[in-house]
Amino acid sequence: MKQIYMDHGATTPVDPLVVDAMLPYFTETFGNASSLHSFGQEATSALEQSRQQVAASIGAKPEEIIFTSGGTESDNLAIKGIAYRNSGKGKHIITSTIEHPAILNTCAYLEKEGFDVTYVPADSDGIIDMDELKKAIRDDTILISVMHANNEIGTIQPISDISKLAKEKSIYLHTDAVQSFGKIAVNVDELGVDMLSMSSHKIYGPKGVGALYVRKGTLLQALAHGGSHERSMRAGTENISGIVGFAKAVALADERLVDDAKHMTQLRDSLIEKVMDSIDDVELSGHPTNRLPNNVNLRFSFIEGESMLLFLDMKGIAISTGSACSSKSLEPSHVLTAIGLRPEDSHGSLRITLGKDNTQEEVDYVVDALVEVVGRLRAMSPIAGKMSLK
Amino acid sequence: MYSEKVMDHFSNPRNVGEIENADGVGEVGNPTCGDMMNIYIKVEDNILTDVKFKTFGCGAAIATSSMITEMAVGKTLEEALDITRNDVAEELGGLPQVKMHCSNLAADGLRAAIEDYRNKQNIKK
């Protein structure tokens, strides 16, 4: 059976060129970068080259890159690291209602520790409300953290505008760029951020590695203590093979960025248009154009997402849903709820995240499959045609 | 996540649809929760001769709906009322724990349909 992977927001396959780049670092150049002998020095050299590669990609200096185990750790280090180090100045943090759980649950944890967090809402397109953000700023605000692009609806946030507000008040600004990095241009000076989270496995690199950019002069407290790795900001022997793979993935993403973005934008818009043309009672969630090139999030009235997902999986198509019924918590997607969708709308949502290797032929196959699956489930639905879910 | 039998009933659901002039209709759940089920029954001489369903919901909701239609046909109303949520789940080879409460509505739907039938009978008398 034909297999079509369109869940690149969840993870991506590792590029074979990345695997090739990594392989020598398991068996040949296996040294510990902390060792002074030549094995160690080779590892150090690979580590620092990788650091340069990642730094150059986002317009940073190599010493501003801290390698981590991925996006979640980077987010934790940024939020808790600022909170713990700067609590003497204030204990107020601002974030948004549509952040990834790595941010939301870290903030919730800090609330238990006595920090105060304001969650700024987003509008119906999923763009953060700048007026509310402005109003949320207080004298004791030490950090603003707003994601660069949303993982569910792909909406791109006005980070450089937020930066102006943050700079006026000397508040640190962090952005979770896990979904945007490698898909759209990410430059720390243009965005005006003090910290930026990145992940390798979303950009055809290996899992278990990522980085946090930390602007020089940012007062951050380490969370993992031990050796003096990563300028004492993240103790633990460096995952050299993973870091080399991550850096290779970054290099490849940089080379392809413009072409890939153009290709995926075409597929994205084609997919949205064809679905809208061939299926009734469908809405796009998120901003129509100000969204990641690879993100499509549709909601289908009268039917439920897990059922759609299972039927599509039987046809070899891998996508995801914001339906509560597919989540362990049985809560609908917090992002869809935050942009004002009713639970019954969220239940019928599908997220399709394209990749560089998806084709127009695959998009057409997915549209045909959706027509069939949606038709089948609506024929079974007691509410189809009887009530409006709009 | 789902057993083979659940996937079979989900992908080839039995007895989908409405019964015209049904003797009883049961409606349980609601779209806000993500699961809603309508069960339609035909009754002759106290025996369920036809049971059909329409369901909005996840794989488990559709599979349990399909399963109960097979379990109920041919049973007396009293026997049908004895079918529990657990019976349906067991007949399907088990359901994921998280689905046991929210999506396992079919037994309730059937009971509601039988109650609806009995209410209508009482009105006729």
Side-chain angles (χ1 to χ4, degrees), chain A residues 73-82 212 220-221 223 233:
Chain A
E73 188 192 330
S74 295
D75 287 344
N76 269 267
L77 180 55
I79 307 275
K80 289 182 197 157
I82 288 291
L212 178 67
L220 194 70
Q221 182 173 312
L223 302 181
M233 287 314 300

Side-chain angles (χ1 to χ4, degrees), chain B residues 5-58:
Chain B
K5 196 148 182 205
V6 171
M7 287 310 287
D8 175 40
H9 273 270
F10 168 68
S11 47
N12 306 294
R14 282 59 144 179
N15 306 308
V16 180
E18 296 178 26
I19 298 176
E20 258 184 71
N21 305 316
D23 295 323
V25 181
E27 187 179 303
V28 287
N30 67 66
T32 309
C33 301
D35 288 303
M36 181 180 170
M37 203 175 281
N38 285 6
I39 302 269
Y40 307 87
I41 56 170
K42 266 287 189 209
V43 183
E44 269 171 49
D45 300 332
N46 201 43
I47 287 174
L48 289 166
T49 54
D50 195 9
V51 182
K52 284 195 158 58
F53 79 92
K54 278 201 155 183
T55 291
F56 161 90
C58 66

Side-chain angles (χ1 to χ4, degrees), chain A residues 64-371:
Chain A
E64 294 175 317
I65 301 297
I66 300 169
F67 287 113
T68 66
S69 65
T72 293
E73 188 192 330
S74 295
D75 287 344
N76 269 267
L77 180 55
I79 307 275
K80 289 182 197 157
I82 288 291
Y84 294 153
R85 182 74 186 272
N86 298 277
S87 60
K89 196 186 152 208
K91 296 187 97 172
H92 181 235
I93 295 166
I94 299 172
T95 187
S96 85
T97 53
I98 59 167
E99 298 295 311
H100 188 277
I103 297 288
L104 290 178
N105 289 333
T106 302
C107 286
Y109 174 80
L110 285 175
E111 283 182 285
K112 282 189 209 150
E113 296 219 316
F115 287 85
D116 201 6
V117 182
T118 302
Y119 299 88
V120 175
D123 65 16
S124 58
D125 281 335
I127 311 244
I128 184 168
D129 187 327
M130 289 299 286
D131 290 332
E132 288 292 326
L133 178 68
K134 233 179 263 180
K135 274 193 254 170
I137 294 175
R138 312 191 315 212
D139 288 343
D140 63 339
T141 306
I142 50 173
L143 172 69
I144 300 174
S145 178
V146 173
M147 68 201 328
H148 190 201
N150 185 267
N151 49 307
E152 292 188 35
I153 54 176
T155 312
I156 299 164
Q157 303 299 329
I159 301 298
S160 54
D161 295 341
I162 298 170
S163 170
K164 285 177 198 126
L165 291 177
K167 276 188 181 142
E168 270 173 34
K169 309 273 180 181
S170 301
I171 299 166
Y172 287 125
L173 175 60
H174 166 256
T175 192
D176 177 338
V178 164
Q179 291 290 341
S180 59
F181 180 58
K183 297 191 191 87
I184 58 174
V186 171
N187 180 290
V188 291
D189 288 334
E190 282 168 22
L191 292 171
V193 293
D194 300 301
M195 290 167 291
L196 181 140
S197 300
M198 292 163 269
S199 168
S200 157
H201 77 103
K202 310 286 193 194
I203 60 164
Y204 307 94
K207 292 171 181 65
V209 59
L212 178 67
Y213 157 79
V214 182
R215 188 176 293 276
K216 211 177 163 194
T218 303
L219 297 175
L220 194 70
Q221 182 173 312
L223 302 181
H225 300 94
S228 57
H229 315 87
E230 302 300 295
R231 302 169 73 83
S232 295
M233 287 314 300
R234 201 263 188 181
T237 298
E238 297 87 350
N239 168 14
I240 301 293
S241 55
I243 288 168
V244 165
F246 176 31
K248 181 68 180 178
V250 170
L252 293 170
D254 283 346
E255 272 173 42
R256 295 182 315 235
L257 189 80
V258 175
D259 291 342
D260 282 356
K262 195 176 153 201
H263 172 64
M264 291 192 294
T265 303
Q266 275 170 1
L267 295 185
R268 177 195 75 187
D269 294 342
S270 162
L271 178 60
I272 294 169
E273 193 188 322
K274 288 187 176 188
V275 168
M276 296 282 190
D277 281 351
S278 44
I279 303 176
D280 291 332
D281 297 307
V282 184
E283 299 280 340
L284 181 71
S285 299
H287 196 279
T289 52
N290 188 20
R291 68 192 298 141
L292 288 174
N294 73 325
N295 178 289
V296 177
N297 194 312
L298 297 163
R299 45 186 206 273
F300 299 83
S301 299
F302 319 124
I303 53 179
E304 189 278 326
E306 187 203 89
S307 298
M308 283 191 269
L309 189 148
L310 291 172
F311 272 138
L312 291 169
D313 190 45
M314 288 178 206
K315 293 176 174 293
I317 298 167
I319 46 101
S320 72
T321 168
S323 170
C325 309
S326 73
S327 73
K328 290 188 179 116
S329 66
L330 295 177
E331 292 292 325
S333 145
H334 73 279
V335 175
L336 299 180
T337 304
I339 64 169
L341 297 190
R342 299 177 304 171
E344 49 268 50
D345 295 317
S346 300
H347 290 313
S349 77
L350 289 185
R351 181 188 74 166
I352 303 169
T353 39
L354 299 156
K356 65 184 174 70
D357 297 322
N358 284 132
T359 62
Q360 183 64 49
E361 191 195 351
E362 288 176 331
V363 165
D364 294 344
Y365 179 83
V366 168
V367 173
D368 289 345
L370 274 170
V371 169

